[in-house]
Amino acid sequence: MTTKLVDAIRALERDRFRAMVDGDGEALDALLSDDVFYVHTSGKRETKQQLIDAIVAGRRRYRQIEIQSQDVQLVGDTTCLVTGRALLEMETNNGGLVYPIIYIAVHAQENKRWRLLAWQATRCATET
């Protein structure tokens, strides 16, 4: 896989995380496939519109999403698999919440443009 493609996919991941923190529904609409399969650490699945609506309306408020590690693998000619670790900081009705996750993201080319097709995240155990 070319370095250029890896860099482009990593940039898309950063752009998506930034849009989630900023509550930027327009950017999320452009970055997510209309058929996205989005599963949160809670196991809740949302459609593209449900995810965007929750973020834009402030029902899901991300303060920061910090990528800690990330691997990108090309699968065929039009699909990339991203695996990684991140630290999420969210605002809840009871205050702030910070926790590490591991995730898998699938990006696919749609009309010559890369978009997120699937996301699955799992909360990591915290050390005590």
Side-chain angles (χ1 to χ4, degrees):
M1 178 177 348
T2 68
T3 301
K4 184 177 177 180
L5 178 56
V6 170
D7 291 346
I9 296 298
R10 287 184 181 189
L12 289 173
E13 287 284 282
R14 284 191 307 272
D15 292 347
R16 179 169 53 84
F17 292 153
R18 172 57 41 206
M20 292 170 73
V21 169
D22 292 345
D24 187 343
E26 191 173 313
L28 288 169
D29 185 57
L31 293 165
L32 304 176
S33 169
D34 290 343
D35 299 320
V36 70
F37 191 95
Y38 203 97
V39 181
H40 296 274
T41 59
S42 65
K44 180 180 181 179
R45 180 182 183 238
E46 288 184 318
T47 65
K48 176 180 180 175
Q49 201 57 56
Q50 288 170 328
L51 175 66
I52 292 172
D53 289 348
I55 290 171
V56 171
R59 292 188 307 273
R60 186 166 299 111
R61 299 178 307 267
Y62 294 94
R63 289 182 183 166
Q64 181 177 348
I65 303 172
E66 177 187 322
I67 298 169
Q68 296 180 322
S69 67
Q70 193 176 66
D71 292 309
V72 179
Q73 178 181 356
L74 183 64
V75 181
D77 294 331
T78 60
T79 306
C80 279
L81 180 67
V82 181
T83 56
R85 296 180 69 89
L87 187 65
L88 266 60
E89 183 178 349
M90 298 187 71
E91 185 177 328
T92 69
N93 293 335
N94 298 324
L97 181 63
V98 178
Y99 57 92
I101 64 167
I102 56 173
Y103 67 89
I104 186 165
V106 178
H107 290 264
Q109 275 195 333
E110 296 179 353
N111 299 318
K112 299 184 180 184
R113 183 173 181 187
W114 290 97
R115 297 177 91 187
L116 182 72
L117 182 62
W119 166 269
Q120 171 95 39
T122 302
R123 193 181 291 206
C124 297
T126 55
E127 296 182 23
T128 57

